[in-house]
Amino acid sequence: MDPGRQVFTVDLLERYAAKGRGVITCMAAGNDVIILGTSKGWVIRHDFGVGDSYDIDLSAGRPGDQSIHRVFVDPGGSHCIATVVGSGGADTFYTHAKWSKPRLLSKLKGIVVNAVAWNRQQITEASTKEVILGTDNGQLYEIAVDEKDKKEKYVKFLFEMVEIPEAFTGLQMETTSVPSGTRYYIMAVTPTRLYSFTGFGSLETVFAGYLDRAVHFMTLPGEIPNSELHYYIKQRRAVHFAWLSGVGIYHGDLNFGAQHSSSNGDENFVENKALLINSKLSDGADAVKPSSMALSEFHFLLLVGNKVKVVNRISEQIIEELQFDQTSESVSRGVIGLCSDATAGLFYAYDQNSIFQVSVNDEGRDMWKVYLDMKEYAAALANCRDPLQRDQVYVLQAEAAFASKDYLRAASFYAKINYILSFEEITLKFITVSEQDALRTFLLRKIDNLAKGDKCQITMISTWATELYLDKINRLLLEDETALDSHDSEYQSIIKEFCAFLSDCKDVLDEATTMKLLESYGRVEELVFFASLKEQYEIVIHHYIQQGEAKKALEVLQKPSVPLDLQYKFAPDLIMLDAYETVESWMTTNKLNPRKLIPAMMRYSSEPHAKNETHEVIKYLEYCVHRLHNEDPGVHNLLLTLYAKQEDDSALLRFLQCKFGKGRENGPDFFYDPKYALRLCLKEKRMRACVHIYSMMSMHEEAVALALQVDPELAMAEADKVEDDEDLRKKLWLMVAKHVIEQEKGAKRDNIRKAIAFLKETDGLLKIEDILPFFPDFALIDDFKEAICSSLEDYNKQIELLKEEMNDATHGADNIRNDISALAQRYAVIECEEECGVCKRKILTAGREYQTRGYTSVGPMPPFYVFPCGHAFHSHCLIAHVTRCTNEAQAEYILDLQKQITLLGGETSRDSNGSLTEESISSMTPVDKLRSQLDDAIASECPFCGELMIREISLPFILPEEAYQVTSWEIKPHNLTNLRSLSMPL
């Protein structure tokens, strides 16, 4: 321990704490509350939390001298129990922090209470819950008091020691909640024994169980004036206990979760038991027994004479001695006792007049060193406060393991050291003893313990560890040649460990350096593994191809992080290695561009294949064309080429007839090059395919000519495909007919009969006269008699039809002449009051001569128009109205006709009665023609009943040129500034 720093210090808290009420006889503390008992029967309460104190006289009404035997206060400082002993016997009182008067516990009349156990887990400010009282005649009682009841709820007898009726001098109770209820743990001490009780249910049930079974206890010899039992409380739970007995201090750890059953009672919940004998507390002289004690986390405070010796609970060494500043009158009796406040974490000592406070100043600061001296390394590490302290623990652990030649364990501890020993010193230790495995272990653990920011150091150590792994692998191979074949050998284990190391350190190892190391040691498998970790897929794939493992190479290529360029680069090798797996891989990879795979497919296609073998390239190309709807001409041309080289041309013909652009707007029917396809099919002598290509290119004559060399039926089918060009269709059928006639080698009569039968297949397109030139000149007419007669009959029927059509035309012409004559005689009756539809003046008005543009009246009336509907218009009014209402182009046309008529002038040629005849029509002058055109333009229909009126519906009420009239209707505000205000009388 550091002698310069005191862990425990003593301060005088109050000099005359008894306030003249006698001398202090006993003391208790809890939650910054101190309860004192005096020799005159007074209980004095000091509440340091609120700064208050008051006195209670428990001797009132009792004869003779009265003294407070014991006082007890709960951990919360609210409940107090005190026992008064005098000439009149013993009485026990209960008082609450809020009460001004105590309450006598009448059922305990005459019983001296020596010890109290509080239920720390369940006690509240308002209620004590279960409380156990220990008496000087060896009995245990249970009581409970509520603050509002002003008296005890009950007092129950629990237990009595019959074998040795000793007084109970210390009691402690702890409870835990279990599924079946509450479990109680009770410890009680007498001057010579430590008892332990445990059970479920209630306290009464727990102690009733010991009527049928023995009580567990431990006996220690020796006598002591006051045997004490203390618990150290941490977070409201007892974790250590200490019993001040006649021979020393019996102590240990408490484990209230243990469910052990043993003959030793305290083993139910007591662990790590030890005994500190009194002889260790003296310096060779006679052992002096402590008169009182207190228990802290790591120390015992023992009152020996007028001093407090502080003993470390772990090392059992005295670390400090505390002196008290006593008054002269108190020196004679000395310090009476110690007590502790578990809630506040303070300790107190008291004599007849004064209270002393013992404060703890970080008592665990040097416990790491205590545990380290005892070689309890785990506990030492748990109590270390800084890295330097931990390093000292690791150094001792490492050196101890190194000295015992446990080098691997030593390496693990050395790796945790950061300050005391350097990296170089530690590595030299292992190199000196030639422990490569331990050195490797040290390096691996060092990597784990380094911070992520030490990238350079991590990389260097990882590289060194890599070399050590490789060296270990080589040494194992040299030692055991069968290690490669054994699956459970150390060699296989180190290989797995090395691969795991590479996987963990892939981000910190230098790529180039590591690969060179692996290559220099000949570790190809590990090189490939590391390359895969570093995403150097090209190396990995190349290795698998060299090993003939196409499937593994394809699995690597399928990874999303692998660039597509590697697919194209290795495609030629992979398809030659395993065409089926390669093509299957291509078909599952949708991002591939088939055009870039053409070189690989060409290489595969150039190799010979068995007749019934599935052509993998054709399978892939068909997948691209039909499933992926690929439109690349190169892909289609390659597929066409492979089809053309097959013996069976059915697949080729199906491919040529397939319309790949079907269903798309303006989509083409094919994507291959037709000229290339034609050349290829001609070269490979696929004539049917050539016929189809000619037809597709609209080269029907070539298609029919080639089809005639293959199959006349095919030629006929090709000739029938031409539907929009009758002449071409006839020409094609003539080619077929000529070929059919020339190919017939039988008798001439059979030849002629077959030719005539062929005419029937053309559905009347060819006549006998069309095919006669193809026959020889010496053919007999008798052979054609039937066909010629049939042809003549057809011509006769056509002549009759023409005659009927001519007669119908003649009758039609006569009817037209009659209509013209009747039209010339048509007239209309005009009433004298009839008005012009535009100007509303009378049509038959006599007066001055009207001169209009294009027309001149020849009589007293102006020229006018009368329509069958009854509407009549002056000519100039009708011209003006139509010009205004029609579109701009028609209006300009009318004005142009008027201008031409005006320029030409003249009169219309009419016969004597003014009617137009055929002769007059044929002899019309240009002016008359212009006037006729003008009539057609303005008087083809009535403007009020025809289309002109219908179009006016969509015209606006106000035309754009009349916009000025709109502004004239706008209401503008007047200037109101000059208006007078008139006062209106109310």
Side-chain angles (χ1 to χ4, degrees):
M1 302 292 290
D2 188 352
R5 295 185 300 172
Q6 278 196 326
V7 178
F8 293 87
T9 56
V10 176
D11 299 296
L12 177 66
L13 187 63
E14 191 164 350
R15 178 64 74 185
Y16 297 102
K19 299 180 180 181
R21 308 292 189 182
V23 297
I24 300 173
T25 59
C26 54
M27 176 179 172
N31 197 23
D32 275 339
V33 174
I34 293 177
I35 306 293
L36 299 175
T38 70
S39 59
K40 294 184 178 182
W42 285 81
V43 171
I44 303 173
R45 176 188 174 92
H46 295 276
D47 191 340
F48 294 98
V50 298
D52 188 20
S53 87
Y54 60 85
D55 309 338
I56 299 176
D57 186 7
L58 300 183
S59 64
R62 294 168 59 87
D65 295 334
Q66 306 294 326
S67 175
I68 303 298
H69 175 65
R70 287 281 190 275
V71 291
F72 308 95
V73 65
D74 76 296
S78 299
H79 309 282
C80 175
I81 296 175
T83 300
V84 181
V85 177
S87 59
D91 286 315
T92 301
F93 292 86
Y94 167 82
T95 184
H96 193 273
K98 296 180 180 180
W99 294 358
S100 59
K101 293 182 179 181
R103 297 291 184 269
L104 175 66
L105 301 177
S106 58
K107 293 183 180 181
L108 298 176
K109 180 71 175 178
I111 297 175
V112 178
V113 177
N114 280 343
V116 172
W118 306 95
N119 189 342
R120 276 183 295 269
Q121 273 64 47
Q122 299 180 14
I123 194 169
T124 63
E125 184 181 355
S127 175
T128 62
K129 301 299 180 181
E130 306 95 329
V131 180
I132 303 176
L133 306 181
T135 67
D136 65 344
N137 59 353
Q139 294 179 337
L140 296 178
Y141 291 88
E142 176 190 354
I143 70 167
V145 183
D146 282 347
E147 181 263 336
K148 63 180 180 180
D149 294 339
K150 308 300 183 183
K151 64 179 181 178
E152 71 273 17
K153 294 176 66 176
Y154 59 82
V155 175
K156 298 178 182 178
F157 173 78
L158 294 177
F159 180 78
E160 181 178 10
M161 288 192 299
V162 179
E163 181 184 354
I164 301 179
E166 291 183 314
F168 282 111
T169 57
L171 274 176
Q172 293 289 345
M173 174 171 55
E174 197 74 22
T175 60
T176 59
S177 296
V178 293
S180 57
T182 303
R183 183 169 185 176
Y184 291 88
Y185 301 89
I186 301 100
M187 293 183 74
V189 296
T190 66
T192 61
R193 288 186 177 183
L194 169 66
Y195 292 89
S196 62
F197 307 89
T198 183
F200 297 96
S202 64
L203 284 173
E204 193 173 11
T205 305
V206 171
F207 283 96
Y210 287 95
L211 296 175
D212 302 329
R213 57 192 175 100
V215 180
H216 300 288
F217 64 89
M218 178 180 180
T219 302
L220 290 177
E223 296 181 359
I224 190 170
N226 186 23
S227 176
E228 297 180 10
L229 176 66
H230 294 277
Y231 276 2
Y232 171 71
I233 310 300
K234 187 174 185 179
Q235 297 177 353
R236 297 189 62 188
R237 179 64 68 183
V239 293
H240 307 298
F241 81 96
W243 171 33
L244 179 61
S245 68
V247 295
I249 301 168
Y250 179 72
H251 60 96
D253 298 329
L254 298 171
N255 181 7
F256 297 111
Q259 301 295 328
H260 307 299
S261 60
S262 174
S263 58
N264 297 325
D266 59 350
E267 281 192 7
N268 281 358
F269 48 90
V270 175
E271 299 174 344
N272 303 323
K273 301 177 292 295
L275 177 64
L276 173 62
I277 59 177
N278 292 330
S279 60
K280 290 187 176 182
L281 304 178
S282 59
D283 299 330
D286 293 338
V288 181
K289 297 180 180 179
S291 58
S292 183
M293 74 169 292
L295 177 64
S296 69
E297 184 175 7
F298 297 107
H299 298 88
F300 302 123
L301 280 71
L302 303 176
L303 180 60
V304 181
N306 285 341
K307 296 181 181 179
V308 170
K309 293 187 177 183
V310 180
V311 181
N312 188 284
R313 182 170 56 85
I314 307 302
S315 64
E316 299 184 348
Q317 299 294 320
I318 300 174
I319 63 168
E320 292 176 354
E321 288 190 0
L322 307 179
Q323 304 281 349
F324 297 97
D325 181 15
Q326 294 182 280
T327 59
S328 57
E329 62 268 23
S330 299
V331 172
S332 59
R333 186 175 176 185
V335 179
I336 300 172
L338 300 174
C339 72
S340 60
D341 184 348
T343 306
L346 296 173
F347 303 92
Y348 300 97
Y350 61 95
D351 61 13
Q352 290 182 343
N353 297 310
S354 306
I355 302 174
F356 302 93
Q357 178 176 307
V358 180
S359 303
V360 184
N361 180 24
D362 192 12
E363 63 173 321
R365 65 193 178 202
D366 292 323
M367 287 306 298
W368 69 274
K369 196 170 184 181
V370 173
Y371 284 114
L372 184 60
D373 292 339
M374 300 175 65
K375 297 184 179 182
E376 294 185 13
Y377 301 114
L381 288 172
N383 287 274
C384 287
R385 302 290 180 85
D386 55 59
L388 194 60
Q389 292 177 358
R390 284 192 288 271
D391 272 9
Q392 294 182 55
V393 178
Y394 291 139
V395 166
L396 286 183
Q397 285 181 283
E399 289 178 350
F402 197 90
S404 61
K405 296 185 178 181
D406 189 354
Y407 297 113
L408 294 178
R409 189 164 180 268
S412 298
F413 291 125
Y414 276 127
K416 298 177 182 179
I417 298 171
N418 295 315
Y419 303 101
I420 295 180
L421 293 177
S422 67
F423 176 80
E424 293 78 4
E425 289 178 288
I426 298 171
T427 53
L428 284 174
K429 284 178 178 287
F430 294 111
I431 293 173
T432 303
V433 294
S434 301
E435 280 295 326
Q436 300 292 329
D437 293 344
L439 176 60
R440 186 180 73 253
T441 301
F442 167 71
L443 296 178
L444 295 176
R445 299 294 179 270
K446 192 67 178 177
I447 293 172
D448 295 336
N449 295 329
L450 285 174
K452 292 183 178 180
D454 300 330
K455 293 183 179 179
C456 183
Q457 191 172 1
I458 292 174
T459 299
M460 294 177 65
I461 295 174
S462 301
T463 305
W464 190 2
T466 302
E467 191 165 8
L468 291 176
Y469 266 118
L470 293 171
D471 180 67
K472 175 69 174 179
I473 292 169
N474 276 2
R475 283 190 285 109
L476 289 174
L477 284 175
L478 291 173
E479 293 171 2
D480 185 6
E481 296 181 355
T482 62
L484 283 171
D485 302 326
S486 177
H487 297 287
D488 299 328
S489 63
E490 184 183 357
Y491 170 80
Q492 297 296 339
S493 176
I494 201 70
I495 288 292
K496 291 179 182 179
E497 184 181 335
F498 181 45
C499 290
F501 166 76
L502 292 176
S503 181
D504 293 338
C505 299
K506 63 182 175 63
D507 296 326
V508 297
L509 283 169
D510 180 70
E511 183 178 321
T513 304
T514 306
M515 285 190 173
K516 285 182 180 177
L517 270 175
L518 293 169
E519 188 177 0
S520 63
Y521 277 84
R523 304 305 305 176
V524 178
E525 293 291 337
E526 288 74 21
L527 175 62
V528 172
F529 176 76
F530 183 72
S532 179
L533 292 174
K534 298 299 287 185
E535 297 185 352
Q536 293 290 339
Y537 299 113
E538 188 170 350
I539 297 174
V540 178
I541 297 167
H542 182 71
H543 168 74
Y544 285 139
I545 291 175
Q546 285 186 331
Q547 296 295 321
E549 298 178 350
K551 198 167 185 178
K552 289 186 178 180
L554 290 169
E555 288 175 358
V556 175
L557 287 171
Q558 292 262 342
K559 293 181 180 179
S561 56
V562 176
L564 284 178
D565 291 342
L566 294 182
Q567 288 270 16
Y568 308 130
K569 180 175 182 178
F570 291 103
D573 295 329
L574 287 171
I575 198 170
M576 295 304 295
L577 191 61
D578 192 334
Y580 173 79
E581 291 292 345
T582 302
V583 169
E584 289 295 322
S585 173
W586 289 352
M587 289 193 293
T588 57
T589 308
N590 295 328
K591 295 182 180 180
L592 286 178
N593 183 359
R595 186 180 185 87
K596 295 184 178 181
L597 296 172
I598 289 178
M601 291 188 284
M602 293 290 290
R603 180 180 177 183
Y604 172 79
S605 301
S606 63
E607 296 292 326
H609 300 282
K611 184 176 182 180
N612 297 324
E613 180 185 356
T614 301
H615 201 294
E616 297 298 333
V617 169
I618 293 179
K619 182 175 75 173
Y620 177 66
L621 292 175
E622 288 175 342
Y623 172 80
C624 294
V625 170
H626 298 295
R627 295 286 297 278
L628 301 181
H629 305 291
N630 186 279
E631 300 178 2
D632 194 325
V635 174
H636 285 253
N637 287 339
L638 178 58
L639 181 56
L640 183 70
T641 303
L642 297 177
Y643 278 146
K645 292 182 178 180
Q646 290 182 330
E647 294 182 5
D648 186 4
D649 62 352
S650 57
L652 174 62
L653 292 174
R654 286 196 302 270
F655 177 76
L656 293 173
Q657 293 167 2
C658 183
K659 294 184 178 181
F660 299 102
K662 186 178 181 180
R664 284 172 291 176
E665 186 177 355
N666 299 325
D669 287 343
F670 56 88
F671 297 103
Y672 54 84
D673 184 357
K675 295 180 181 179
Y676 167 76
L678 182 60
R679 290 195 303 271
L680 177 67
C681 292
L682 287 173
K683 179 182 177 182
E684 300 293 336
K685 297 182 180 180
R686 306 298 180 193
M687 296 308 173
R688 287 183 178 272
C690 293
V691 170
H692 180 81
I693 297 171
Y694 274 132
S695 176
M696 186 179 56
M697 296 171 66
S698 298
M699 300 174 66
H700 299 290
E701 295 184 35
E702 290 81 354
V704 171
L706 187 59
L708 290 173
Q709 299 177 17
V710 180
D711 185 2
E713 295 293 333
L714 178 60
M716 293 178 190
E718 290 296 325
D720 267 340
K721 289 181 180 179
V722 180
E723 297 178 355
D724 54 349
D725 190 345
E726 193 69 22
D727 293 337
L728 177 59
R729 187 163 177 260
K730 185 175 182 179
K731 184 179 180 181
L732 297 177
W733 274 106
L734 285 173
M735 292 174 61
V736 177
K738 183 179 179 181
H739 177 80
V740 171
I741 293 171
E742 290 178 352
Q743 291 298 317
E744 291 298 335
K745 303 299 184 181
K748 293 178 181 179
R749 288 184 178 272
D750 293 337
N751 187 1
I752 294 171
R753 291 192 188 96
K754 290 183 179 179
I756 293 172
F758 175 75
L759 288 177
K760 295 179 181 179
E761 296 182 9
T762 63
D763 294 330
L765 182 64
L766 298 183
K767 305 296 182 182
I768 187 64
E769 60 269 26
D770 295 326
I771 65 171
L772 281 176
F774 303 143
F775 289 95
D777 295 339
F778 51 82
L780 297 176
I781 193 66
D782 292 341
D783 297 327
F784 300 100
K785 182 173 65 174
E786 184 179 349
I788 291 173
C789 290
S790 176
S791 179
L792 290 175
E793 287 175 359
D794 291 339
Y795 281 126
N796 188 39
K797 290 177 182 179
Q798 292 177 13
I799 290 171
E800 291 298 328
L801 290 174
L802 287 174
K803 285 181 180 181
E804 289 178 5
E805 291 175 0
M806 288 174 64
N807 290 334
D808 292 340
T810 302
H811 289 303
D814 292 339
N815 291 334
I816 291 173
R817 290 190 190 97
N818 293 333
D819 290 342
I820 292 173
S821 298
L823 185 62
Q825 301 299 323
R826 287 184 66 186
Y827 65 91
V829 177
I830 302 296
E831 299 291 339
C832 62
E833 298 298 326
E834 185 75 27
E835 294 180 350
C836 174
V838 177
C839 66
K840 302 303 180 181
R841 289 183 298 175
K842 294 180 180 179
I843 293 294
L844 303 179
T845 302
R848 67 182 181 84
E849 182 178 301
Y850 284 88
Q851 178 70 36
T852 62
R853 191 173 186 183
Y855 290 91
T856 303
S857 63
V858 294
M861 293 181 295
F864 60 89
Y865 288 90
V866 179
F867 292 94
C869 60
H871 290 112
F873 302 91
H874 292 118
S875 61
H876 65 280
C877 293
L878 180 61
I879 293 172
H881 178 72
V882 173
T883 305
R884 185 178 69 255
C885 295
T886 190
N887 57 55
E888 186 176 352
Q890 184 69 8
E892 289 181 357
Y893 175 67
I894 294 172
L895 294 175
D896 185 58
L897 291 174
Q898 286 183 289
K899 187 183 295 183
Q900 293 183 45
I901 294 171
T902 304
L903 292 175
L904 293 176
E907 295 294 336
T908 305
S909 299
R910 296 179 181 271
D911 59 5
S912 59
N913 61 3
S915 62
L916 292 173
T917 63
E918 291 185 16
E919 292 80 4
S920 63
I921 291 174
S922 62
S923 61
M924 287 176 65
T925 63
V927 175
D928 294 333
K929 292 180 179 180
L930 291 173
R931 284 175 180 167
S932 177
Q933 294 176 9
L934 182 60
D935 289 341
D936 292 338
I938 64 174
S940 60
E941 61 180 354
C942 176
F944 287 177
C945 302
E947 185 182 355
L948 190 64
M949 179 59 71
I950 295 173
R951 286 203 303 267
E952 287 187 357
I953 294 175
S954 61
L955 295 178
F957 289 112
I958 301 175
L959 298 175
E961 57 267 18
E962 297 174 340
Y964 68 93
Q965 294 185 8
V966 178
T967 58
S968 67
W969 284 88
E970 291 182 357
I971 300 175
K972 299 180 180 178
H974 294 281
N975 189 359
L976 303 179
T977 56
N978 297 327
L979 295 179
R980 295 180 180 180
S981 61
L982 300 177
S983 60
M984 301 295 291
L986 299 176

